[in-house]
Amino acid sequence: EHGTERAFTSPLNDEHRQGVFRCAACDNELYKSDTKYESGSGWPSFYAPIEKGAVETSTDYKLVYPRTEVHCAKCGGHLGHVFDDGPQPTGKRYCMNGVAMKFEPKE
């Protein structure tokens, strides 16, 4: 329902092992651990999806200003938002809800 957990409450914030972050609803692969970085925002942040087509975006007008919402390309589940203040090489900050994802460590 497009909600967001409180900042700094997701255990995925502190997940630093190698692996893949997947959609909690449908198991779709979303982000590789090597694209995760510490943004200071309080939510798991990534600079790029695992591959083109893994996530989709739409415009969210719920606040005073428009934001770009990110959702799972497979099931449509709300994942978070993307902003243009991330690190290179993309300059993007995919600020994701931890409850919308699960982590699969590399074996």
Side-chain angles (χ1 to χ4, degrees), residues 12-61:
L12 295 183
N13 261 352
D14 298 320
E15 183 55 70
H16 300 291
R17 296 176 291 173
Q18 289 293 308
V20 175
F21 292 83
R22 295 177 170 271
C23 177
C26 73
D27 211 36
N28 187 30
E29 291 186 345
L30 303 170
Y31 301 95
K32 286 185 181 179
S33 59
D34 52 352
T35 63
K36 184 176 185 283
Y37 71 99
E38 298 299 329
S39 69
S41 66
W43 291 279
S45 297
F46 305 85
Y47 62 78
I50 197 164
E51 63 183 34
K52 187 176 176 148
V55 299
E56 294 179 343
T57 61
S58 60
T59 303
D60 172 353
Y61 293 100

